[in-house]
Amino acid sequence: MLNEIVITRAIIDRYMEKLKDHLELDAAIVGGGPAGLVAGYKLAKAGLKVAMFERKLSIGGGMWGGGMMMNEIVVQEDAKRILDEMEVPCREYQSGYYTADSVMCSSTLCSQASKAGLTIFNLVSVEDVMVREQRVVGLVINWTAVEMAGLHVDPLTVRAKYVIDATGHAAEVVRVIARKVDAKLFTNSGEVEGERSLWAEVAETNTLANTREVFGGVFTAGMCSNATFGSYRMGPVFGGMLLSGEKAAEQVAQRLADEK
Ligand code: 48F
């Protein structure tokens, strides 16, 4: 006989266990697009305590829709090894260009990252940061439903040694810092440089170069890197996103190792 109250208690207990277990993190990832997922996968594989906060119900960000809702993505040669490692099937289209089904890719990256040990909190939005001595030391979170309804409900907090802003075009964590913290970002102007128009080749190279620390304790990943440091968008070619997630994770892991 199924008891509805046991079902309810199981969900509440397990969720609260999970949440309480992730209030103090080595790394917090904001945004569950391809860059955040690869970063989370790599950090979890390295044995670090890492959680992801994603505003939406679904994980995968801008990957599901492929290009203009045609659910295929393109990945170039140098990033194919990440698809291989994460067991996403892909096919060569012509020399140097591979395609993957975007639904398969989104769901598999999510699955592999979760299985590696990344804990994902979907339906949670990051609305602010905590800063101490010119360094971000944590995130301010709230239910997306509260944000959407415009309810006046105070948020809660999560402490993190490092934060990866993988919020895509919006660069939301970086923008909060620029708006609220009386300090310069590590960009040329000290402000958010902003995204430029579409140029796949340059954008993909720059995404990797722009994957770096933008403020004490905060690294950018994915499209957020170009939106922050001022470079082009790339459209539905995803190699740069995957490589950027990997690079952000490597940088964070290195810092944590150096601090031991
Ligand atoms: O946009 P998104 O997929 O970022 P990405 O990993 O990849 C970019 C590509 O999808 C594409 C592109 C390259 O081909 O240009 O756009 O850089 O995923 C970002 C995720 O962050 C979530 C948002 O819902 C999305 O799923 N997000 C954004 N702001 C917040 C957030 C926030 N404040 N709190 C929580 N999640």
Side-chain angles (χ1 to χ4, degrees):
M1 278 273 283
L2 277 175
N3 180 327
E4 292 83 354
I5 301 307
V6 175
I7 295 170
T8 301
R9 190 170 283 137
I11 288 172
I12 295 172
D13 281 348
R14 288 289 191 248
Y15 190 84
M16 291 307 163
E17 256 170 38
K18 191 159 61 178
L19 189 56
K20 282 195 285 184
D21 193 38
H22 290 85
L23 295 179
E24 291 179 290
L25 301 164
D26 289 322
I29 298 170
V30 187
L37 283 170
V38 174
Y41 169 81
K42 292 282 177 180
L43 287 167
K45 277 252 157 184
L48 296 164
K49 182 138 194 135
V50 52
M52 168 184 284
F53 300 94
E54 165 55 52
R55 171 178 284 136
K56 292 188 179 150
L57 188 54
S58 66
I59 303 300
M63 208 164 27
W64 294 98
M68 215 178 108
M69 297 206 286
M70 297 178 210
N71 64 359
E72 290 282 328
I73 60 162
V74 171
V75 168
Q76 58 275 52
E77 188 72 52
D78 49 353
K80 180 184 177 282
R81 62 175 174 79
I82 297 181
L83 292 184
D84 292 344
E85 180 185 341
M86 295 181 78
E87 296 176 14
V88 178
C90 62
R91 287 197 294 155
E92 189 173 33
Y93 179 70
Q94 68 175 59
S95 178
Y97 295 78
Y98 295 84
T99 59
D101 180 291
S102 68
V103 174
M104 171 78 90
C105 191
S106 306
S107 54
T108 306
L109 292 190
C110 181
S111 163
Q112 294 290 2
S114 305
K115 285 196 275 187
L118 172 70
T119 299
I120 300 176
F121 295 95
N122 60 340
L123 296 166
V124 174
S125 291
V126 171
E127 61 171 57
D128 205 345
V129 291
M130 294 191 288
V131 178
R132 303 287 180 273
E133 292 160 9
Q134 302 298 308
R135 187 191 162 90
V136 168
V137 295
L139 296 173
V140 178
I141 59 171
N142 213 332
W143 304 117
T144 301
V146 165
E147 179 185 74
M148 287 173 76
L151 298 174
H152 188 168
V153 177
D154 268 320
L156 292 175
T157 52
V158 173
R159 196 175 291 284
K161 292 179 185 155
Y162 286 94
V163 169
I164 295 180
D165 185 347
T167 61
H169 296 266
E172 292 205 14
V173 177
V174 173
R175 285 189 187 279
V176 164
I177 298 168
R179 198 169 68 243
K180 291 197 169 188
V181 182
D182 193 19
K184 296 271 179 228
L185 300 177
F186 306 162
T187 58
N188 284 338
S189 65
E191 308 291 330
V192 181
E193 303 286 357
E195 176 188 312
R196 303 180 70 180
S197 56
L198 197 151
W199 187 355
E201 172 68 24
V202 180
E204 286 290 270
T205 313
N206 287 354
T207 304
L208 218 51
N210 289 334
T211 300
R212 54 193 162 101
E213 195 171 25
V214 61
F215 186 74
V218 182
F219 286 78
T220 61
M223 190 57 221
C224 170
S225 304
N226 283 1
T228 297
F229 289 98
S231 186
Y232 299 90
R233 65 187 303 196
M234 67 291 298
V237 58
F238 280 76
M241 301 299 106
L242 307 175
L243 294 167
S244 170
E246 177 181 64
K247 184 176 173 190
E250 282 168 0
Q251 292 178 101
V252 167
Q254 188 58 55
R255 284 294 184 81
L256 287 164
D258 292 346
E259 285 163 13
K260 269 201 179 149

